[in-house]
Amino acid sequence: MDMERRNRPALELYVPEPEARPGDEVDFSHIQVPPAGSVPRPDIAVSTESIRDLPYTLIRVLDEEGRATGPWDPRLDADTLRRMLRDMMMVRVFDDRMYRAQRQGKTSFYMKATGEEAIAVAGTHALDREDMCFPTYRQQGILVARDYPLVTMMCQIYSNRGDPLKGRQLPIMYSSREHGFFTISGNLATQFPQAVGWAMGSAISGDSRIASGYIGDGSTAEGDFHAACTFAGVYRAPVILNIVNNQWAISTFSGIAGGQLTTFAARALGYGIPGLRVDGNDALAVYAATRWAADRARSDLGPTLIEFFTYRVEGHSTSDDPTAYRPKGAGEKWPLGDPVARLRQHLTGLGEWDQDRDRQLLEQLDAEVRAAQKKAEKLGTLQSDPYAEIPTMFEDVYAELPWHLREQQAQALAEWEAKRK
């Protein structure tokens, strides 16, 4: 290095750091929460250029008293609101039961959606039942909202004899074409280009169904995000691109994916796509934004990118301890509150809900989940039948099984039958 370069200031690399670490006080003071109802709702045919401010604010409908206010209020009837509350509560009851099952050794893995139930449930109610969803592993609310059998969900978690996927997916990575639920991929960013491709295929074939894809904040840093947005924008694909910004990608906070530079919704502008930033803990705001985007897609006006601003209350999975990288109890202090409690408060304020009905529903849901668990566990768990249907691993792979795999299949079958005796 010559003398001139030696005398220059040394360069430094900036590495983003979260606002608080374990042992620190929880600090959400940097989050700006605009008043509910303060964000304008444009017509669906509006140009992207004219709504460049929307990605930098936060669409909210429910105020602090649970009242619906402002132009984004979807004005849902009481029956729809009660059904949404029921589905969100079911997700929470189901999660708690399956979490305990994992801790009891009945399954190897589970992921809870605590604090994010409104994103999947309210968004699904805003779509048509036949629209195809490309979810991440915290959108089990889609299946619940579309009446997917709880027993079948549990069998997939247990990878038992009732598992429709025959143990070929990790627990909680469901799949159901009949319920518009595309197979979950552990590599989450793949859901976006697949959703865009499916939506393009729907338009090419003259279908009327749209697609709705989901990824987390961390996945926006992957190339698949860029490819999906490019194709969606260029070809005006009838797709909704949902970013669930729950602040954490496993143990890595959103700043590593660019969350400190700008909002994730703002990335839509570079692709000529409308971007919305929504209070993900406000079921009515989630519904309204999803319906707005769905109406655009169905009118051949192209895609919409939505950032759902929320917080991952629990660990990333049952294999994760969030107290190792963030302050304990951070989720309980999230300034946007609890989505279930907020919708419950709204219904109560309308005179359509009360404590007795809430208690009765909770008891009913708990009984449903317990009954489903009892049926599912009769078909096996990781404890009771860890070798269930091992020979099926050779099926549905080759049209004609090669000789060496036929030999391995015969050997596996013999060992499997020996273990079951």
Side-chain angles (χ1 to χ4, degrees), residues 65-200:
E65 283 73 42
R67 296 171 301 203
T69 182
W72 285 94
D73 178 8
R75 302 185 183 280
L76 299 175
D77 60 86
D79 286 341
T80 300
L81 292 170
R82 280 192 291 264
R83 174 59 197 258
M84 285 167 51
L85 178 62
R86 178 261 177 202
D87 291 343
M88 291 165 63
M89 290 174 65
M90 173 60 89
V91 172
R92 191 161 292 186
V93 171
F94 185 91
D95 277 356
D96 288 343
R97 177 62 53 179
M98 290 295 96
Y99 180 88
R100 286 196 291 272
Q102 191 279 335
R103 290 300 192 235
Q104 293 166 355
K106 296 178 180 178
T107 185
S108 60
F109 185 75
Y110 194 74
M111 303 180 80
K112 300 175 74 174
T114 310
E116 303 176 37
E117 296 91 348
I119 295 170
V121 169
T124 301
H125 281 281
L127 297 172
D128 285 352
R129 196 174 183 88
E130 293 184 343
D131 292 335
M132 182 62 75
C133 296
F134 292 74
T136 71
Y137 34 56
R138 250 177 276 277
Q139 269 77 60
Q140 52 265 54
I142 297 172
L143 290 174
V144 170
R146 289 182 171 174
D147 301 308
Y148 189 71
L150 296 182
V151 174
T152 308
M153 285 182 72
M154 291 179 179
C155 286
Q156 197 282 324
I157 293 167
Y158 291 140
S159 300
N160 62 19
R161 292 187 298 278
D163 177 9
L165 305 183
K166 301 180 181 179
R168 294 171 185 172
Q169 272 278 36
L170 283 170
I172 62 84
M173 293 192 177
Y174 318 101
S175 176
S176 178
R177 177 182 296 180
E178 295 76 16
H179 293 80
F181 194 94
F182 194 85
T183 307
I184 295 176
S185 170
N187 302 309
L188 296 184
T190 61
Q191 299 300 75
F192 260 25
Q194 290 174 159
V196 172
W198 191 96
M200 291 173 64

Side-chain angles (χ1 to χ4, degrees), residues 335-367:
L336 298 179
D338 177 270
V340 176
R342 290 177 67 185
L343 183 55
R344 182 186 290 129
Q345 181 187 32
H346 176 61
L347 272 164
T348 301
L350 294 176
E352 299 289 348
W353 203 247
D354 54 49
Q355 289 185 349
D356 287 341
R357 296 168 87 173
D358 196 75
R359 175 183 52 78
Q360 291 172 8
L361 176 59
L362 191 60
E363 291 174 354
Q364 174 190 330
L365 297 178
D366 186 64

Side-chain angles (χ1 to χ4, degrees), residues 48 55 228-230 232-233 241 265 267-275 296 303-305:
T48 303
C229 290
T230 299
L241 300 172
R267 298 189 181 189
L269 301 178
Y271 301 97
I273 297 174
R296 275 185 56 86
T304 302
L305 187 146

Side-chain angles (χ1 to χ4, degrees), residues 6 45 71 77 169 177 184 204 215-216 226 246 272 302 327 371 400-401:
R6 253 200 316 265
D77 60 86
Q169 272 278 36
R177 177 182 296 180
I184 295 176
I204 290 169
I215 62 174
H226 167 77
N246 64 12
E400 184 175 345
L401 204 61

